[in-house]
Amino acid sequence: MNKITSKYCKELVNTYGPALYVFDEQGFIDNYKNLEKSIQEVYPKYIPALSYKTNYMPYLCNIVRKLGGYAEVVSDMEYSIAKCIGYDDKKIIYNGPVKGKHMETLIVNGGIVNIDNIEECKRIIDIAGRNPEKMLKCGIRVNVDIRQGFISRFGIDADSPELGIVIEMIKSIPNLRLAGLHMHVGRTRDANAWNRRAVEMIRLADCFFKDAPEFINLGSGMFGCMEDSLAVQFSDRIPTYSDYAEAIGRPMMNRYGHLPIEKQPVLFTEPGTTVDSRYMDFIVKVENIKSIRGKTFITLNCSVDNIGTMCKIKKMPLNIIHNGGKLIEIQDGSFVGYTCLENDVMYEGFSGNLSVGDTVIFGNVGGYSNVSKPPFILWNCPIVAIRPNGNSIIIKEQETCDDILRTYMIPNAGEDHD
């Protein structure tokens, strides 16, 4: 795990409660800088754009802002978070298949909107028509087969007439220009797949741009730094950031490196789990242990949604802190949650000694965990940051009933309603 010793864990639990997230600030910063430096050493004009959907925790997002990274958002909610922490529109990238009304604010103020479909292109043309004094720019999310083994539903098919139609629609508008191309393909984390992304995007840029584009955006989906217990569960060798840098930075440098730096395209990627997953842990308490027809269930005061999607396909890094209770020898136990749903299982196949009241620490929970947890049965847990100086601060308070009910209309006690 990160910086959580047994003694420190007890202090955190006593101060903030029996279920909480812990964010390792310095670890995150070091990892982010390592990714950035690795790619910039091969292609200097590289900028990370943090994926807000992965973890829009404002404290984390503001660190990236201060480090010079962009914000990658896919909704008006995420755009609003970026604005709340002080982002300039020019450093926000708006992706996603269903963009809200704030897309207009962003593009009018110089931000990057990557068009996902032809209807969205029509919206942007309408915005350009209502803002003739503004020179607007946009990108296109292209859907390219990089031998990923499935058909992605996002973007505009690069092999269809629709891509050419959209480009011609953009070119027909005097105050709208195509600035770059975007691609994101899920479930393709190996370095060879990333190389195919870069090669294909350069090929398309050569087809549709007279000069070099302003940017080429390769999306997200790199492996990040992770604990050994998680890494060994992947069959292939985990690429390093240097491997990715060679895969994407080298083709970019070969194609555009001869140009003056100001003429070279910005290379974006949109890291999410890559930079933040390892640097959040989740601390939780064992509530009870029971055996049903030879199967052992260990109930925790959290749900599978607290841990994130990764726990549904891999065994998460796990650490147990014994708190002095009577130990029970467990074989093939399952850690389960409070939700009263049969599929609320966060870890299977646990064997070891455990007691009621022990503390369980799940590692690598920084992606798709706290932001995906619904207010179902219990409110969300607090989040604590461990500062570079070793001190802890609260960065998200424990939710309360008032937080959950704030947007509901609450009838007066005893009042009848027809």
Side-chain angles (χ1 to χ4, degrees):
M1 301 299 160
N2 296 319
K3 296 182 177 180
I4 308 179
T5 63
S6 177
K7 181 180 177 182
Y8 199 11
C9 179
K10 291 178 181 178
E11 292 177 1
L12 291 171
V13 169
N14 289 336
T15 303
Y16 301 108
L20 69 151
Y21 293 97
V22 180
F23 171 59
D24 177 4
E25 181 175 343
Q26 189 61 58
F28 172 81
I29 292 171
D30 292 345
N31 185 46
Y32 177 93
K33 288 182 175 180
N34 186 22
L35 171 66
E36 182 180 57
K37 179 175 180 289
S38 296
I39 298 178
Q40 287 178 349
E41 285 178 345
V42 180
Y43 188 76
K45 207 167 178 180
Y46 164 72
I47 302 175
L50 183 70
S51 165
Y52 273 41
K53 65 180 178 294
T54 308
N55 193 335
Y56 55 72
M57 187 169 68
Y59 191 88
L60 181 153
C61 296
N62 193 46
I63 291 172
V64 173
R65 183 186 67 83
K66 291 190 290 185
L67 291 173
Y70 279 45
E72 186 263 330
V73 305
V74 296
S75 70
D76 277 2
M77 181 189 79
E78 293 177 2
Y79 170 79
S80 298
I81 293 171
K83 295 300 292 181
C84 281
I85 66 171
Y87 260 100
D88 187 290
D89 286 290
K90 293 182 176 64
K91 291 191 173 183
I92 300 175
I93 300 169
Y94 202 148
N95 291 323
V98 182
K99 299 178 177 71
K101 64 180 182 180
H102 292 326
M103 180 188 78
E104 179 167 351
T105 304
L106 177 70
I107 196 170
V108 167
N109 289 321
I112 298 172
V113 174
N114 289 316
I115 294 171
D116 177 80
N117 53 76
I118 197 166
E119 297 304 321
E120 203 167 82
C121 183
K122 294 175 184 177
R123 281 183 63 194
I124 289 175
I125 289 173
D126 177 68
I127 293 168
R130 288 186 282 104
N131 294 272
E133 76 289 356
K134 295 274 190 177
M135 185 65 199
L136 309 184
K137 66 179 180 180
C138 65
I140 297 176
R141 180 169 184 165
V142 292
N143 187 309
V144 178
D145 184 3
I146 58 167
R147 305 198 294 276
Q148 68 267 25
F150 67 96
I151 298 176
S152 172
R153 69 185 181 93
F154 300 110
I156 297 173
D157 187 352
D159 295 323
S160 74
E162 191 171 275
L163 179 58
I165 291 170
V166 167
I167 290 173
E168 289 305 313
M169 290 169 65
I170 293 169
K171 288 181 177 179
S172 70
I173 308 302
N175 64 324
L176 178 63
R177 67 182 177 87
L178 180 62
L181 298 175
H182 173 269
M183 175 197 292
H184 170 71
V185 183
R187 292 177 272 169
T188 53
R189 295 182 181 272
D190 65 273
N192 288 334
W194 274 85
N195 179 256
R196 290 193 290 272
R197 293 191 200 195
V199 169
E200 282 298 304
M201 291 290 270
I202 291 168
R203 180 184 68 81
L204 289 172
D206 285 343
C207 290
F208 295 114
F209 290 85
K210 180 180 178 181
D211 301 311
E214 182 179 315
F215 68 85
I216 288 178
N217 188 329
L218 299 181
S220 63
M222 294 179 182
F223 280 108
C225 186
M226 67 185 78
E227 291 90 335
D228 291 342
S229 64
L230 182 57
V232 297
Q233 298 177 57
F234 294 91
S235 57
D236 298 326
R237 171 184 170 273
I238 303 291
T240 66
Y241 292 157
S242 294
D243 292 331
Y244 288 123
E246 283 296 320
I248 64 175
R250 192 62 59 195
M252 291 290 292
M253 200 64 191
N254 290 342
R255 176 62 183 86
Y256 301 112
H258 68 285
L259 298 174
I261 188 70
E262 65 273 12
K263 297 289 187 180
Q264 295 173 13
V266 174
L267 172 61
F268 288 112
T269 70
E270 298 165 346
T273 58
T274 306
V275 290
D276 56 33
S277 278
R278 181 168 185 173
Y279 302 98
M280 279 182 71
D281 294 335
F282 188 72
I283 298 176
V284 66
K285 176 186 174 184
V286 176
E287 294 289 338
N288 61 72
I289 302 171
K290 61 183 176 182
S291 179
I292 301 176
R293 291 190 290 278
K295 175 67 175 175
T296 302
F297 296 95
I298 306 145
T299 306
L300 308 176
N301 62 328
C302 67
S303 79
V304 66
D305 293 314
N306 288 116
I307 310 304
T309 56
M310 181 62 73
C311 76
K312 298 175 183 178
I313 55 176
K314 303 291 182 184
K315 287 187 175 181
M316 304 301 287
L318 191 69
N319 189 23
I320 307 294
I321 296 177
H322 298 297
N323 292 325
K326 182 180 178 181
L327 292 175
I328 301 171
E329 184 177 348
I330 295 171
Q331 294 292 329
D332 194 26
S334 295
F335 287 100
V336 296
Y338 59 67
T339 63
C340 308
L341 299 176
E342 295 285 7
N343 63 356
D344 190 2
V345 180
M346 55 206 76
Y347 191 102
E348 295 187 280
F350 172 79
S351 295
N353 295 322
L354 199 64
S355 67
V356 173
D358 281 353
T359 299
V360 179
I361 306 176
F362 289 99
N364 212 86
V365 303
Y368 301 104
S369 56
N370 56 297
V371 296
S372 302
K373 167 67 172 64
F376 176 62
I377 296 183
L378 271 181
W379 34 68
N380 271 324
C381 302
I383 305 177
V384 174
I386 308 300
R387 301 299 315 282
N389 61 10
N391 294 333
S392 63
I393 60 169
I394 188 82
I395 59 174
K396 183 183 187 297
E397 295 181 348
Q398 168 73 58
E399 288 183 351
T400 67
C401 186
D402 287 342
D403 296 318
I404 303 303
L405 298 180
R406 193 179 307 279
T407 57
Y408 286 91
M409 306 306 296
I410 308 298
N412 293 328
E415 183 177 334
D416 292 329
H417 294 274
D418 295 331

